[in-house]
Amino acid sequence: MASIDLASSDRYQRRRLSAGTTLCREGDFGDTMYLVTEGNLQISKRLIEGAEKVIASLGVGQYAGELSLLTGAQRSATMRATVDTEVIEIDQEAFMQILQEQPQTGLELMQQMARRIHDTTEALILTQLATALAQRGPHRLP
């Protein structure tokens, strides 16, 4: 797996996070992504002020923050270490270098992104269906 090549390299900046540490918050500016090399990152979205919903839990070999890296958009979610965690921080320059030297890693990233888009789309459809059914009220037969 190409992500193992990144984890064994001393070329990239590593960050150690204690359990409970917030790596970044939804709405923050971001131009880096993270590869989890040890531990676990919890990804959550703000529902309303003071309430968050956990949308993913990422372990070793998984990426987070790729949308901000690729689009320059604000962070779309909050990332928090659930246990002591280590991540590799990848900026745009490092990302381009990785794509040139390890195209398999770029493919892995695209596959993970495609799975996330699929899962998010499915969850959104189910949420909308549940909302529509709840608004419809009890169904009565004539």
Side-chain angles (χ1 to χ4, degrees), residues 2-23:
S3 59
I4 300 305
D5 295 340
L6 293 180
S8 62
S9 175
D10 61 357
R11 226 195 244 187
Y12 307 103
Q13 181 178 349
R14 294 171 181 272
R15 293 182 63 179
R16 294 209 52 82
L17 308 165
S18 300
T21 302
T22 298
L23 180 58

Side-chain angles (χ1 to χ4, degrees), residues 25-54:
R25 295 190 185 283
E26 183 176 350
D28 287 353
F29 169 77
D31 61 357
T32 57
M33 61 180 271
Y34 304 95
L35 167 65
V36 180
T37 58
E38 179 183 316
N40 186 279
L41 283 179
Q42 175 182 285
I43 312 301
S44 60
K45 292 272 303 165
R46 186 174 35 243
L47 299 176
I48 57 173
E49 192 61 39
E52 290 185 346
K53 176 174 177 46
V54 174

Side-chain angles (χ1 to χ4, degrees), residues 3 6 13-17 22-25 28-37 41 43 58-69 75 77-80 85-91 95 109 112 116:
S3 59
L6 293 180
Q13 181 178 349
R14 294 171 181 272
R15 293 182 63 179
R16 294 209 52 82
L17 308 165
T22 298
L23 180 58
C24 62
R25 295 190 185 283
D28 287 353
F29 169 77
D31 61 357
T32 57
M33 61 180 271
Y34 304 95
L35 167 65
V36 180
T37 58
L41 283 179
I43 312 301
L58 306 179
V60 174
Q62 293 185 294
Y63 301 90
E66 65 278 2
L67 286 178
S68 291
L69 172 76
R75 297 286 183 196
T78 296
M79 298 178 224
R80 187 173 293 113
T85 299
E86 181 182 77
V87 297
I88 292 176
E89 188 170 38
I90 302 169
D91 62 16
F95 182 70
L109 173 63
Q112 281 191 35
R116 285 187 198 162

